[in-house]
Amino acid sequence: IALLNGILTSRVRRQEKKIRIREARTNALYQLTKDLSSATGSNEVTRVAMQYIMKYFRLNGLIYLKNEAGQLESPAQGDRENSITDNEMSVARWVYKNSVKAGKYTDTLPSVDHTFYPLQGNSGTMGIVAVRHSAVFTHGEEQFWEACLSQISGKFEREFLREAAKRTYLISESEKLYKTLF
C-alpha cells in the first residue's frame, strides 16, 4: 500500500508540475498579447518581442523585418554579439522566402550558429527571428515558442497594414490637393 501510495503521489506531483508550467505559459502569452496590443510602431513591437523572448526562453536574438520593397531589412538593435554572418544572412533570406524554419537544430541548413524562424502572418511572411539556441526545444517549449511567434507576427502584420493604410490615405489626400490646385 505504501509503495502504491508513493507511486500515485509521484504521478500527482508530476501532473501538478505540468499544470503549473502550462498555467505560467498561458499567463505569459496573455501578458505578451497585452503588451503587444499597447505597442505602436515596429521598433516598439520589436523591443517588446525581444524582451519576452529573453525573459521566457533566455535566448538572445534578432528580428529581421521586410521593408517596403519586400526584402529583409537589417535590425536596428544589432549588437556585435548577436550579429549574423553573410552565410547566415543567406539562410535568413531562404527562411523568409520559403516560410520554413532552418538553421541549427533543424533538418534544413543546420551548419549555422543561429536558428531562423519565419514570422508568418495571414498575408505572407513579415520577417524572421534569428536566435542562438544552447539546446533543442522540448515539445512543450516548441508549442509555447510557436504561440509566441504567432502573436508577434500578428502584431507586425497589423503594424504593416496600419502603415500601408496611412500611406494610402496620404496619397489620396495628395491627389485631392493636386486636383484642387490643378
Side-chain angles (χ1 to χ4, degrees), residues 130-145:
V131 293
R132 192 179 294 236
H133 285 282
S134 58
V136 181
F137 282 143
T138 63
H139 180 69
E141 289 172 335
E142 183 76 26
Q143 286 179 329
F144 182 43
W145 175 254

Side-chain angles (χ1 to χ4, degrees), residues 28-48:
L29 281 172
Y30 170 73
Q31 291 298 324
L32 174 63
T33 303
K34 185 178 168 185
D35 288 349
L36 284 175
S37 68
S38 65
T40 55
S42 295
N43 290 336
E44 191 173 344
V45 173
T46 300
R47 184 190 57 76
V48 169

Side-chain angles (χ1 to χ4, degrees), residues 57-72:
F57 298 99
R58 290 177 178 45
L59 295 174
N60 289 322
L62 299 168
I63 294 179
Y64 288 79
L65 298 174
K66 69 178 181 179
N67 58 18
E68 293 174 4
Q71 302 296 318
L72 276 183

Side-chain angles (χ1 to χ4, degrees), residues 61-62 64 75 77-85 88 114 132:
L62 299 168
Y64 288 79
Q77 79 274 16
D79 58 26
R80 286 279 180 212
E81 183 180 314
N82 280 329
S83 62
I84 63 174
T85 63
E88 289 176 322
H114 287 80
R132 192 179 294 236

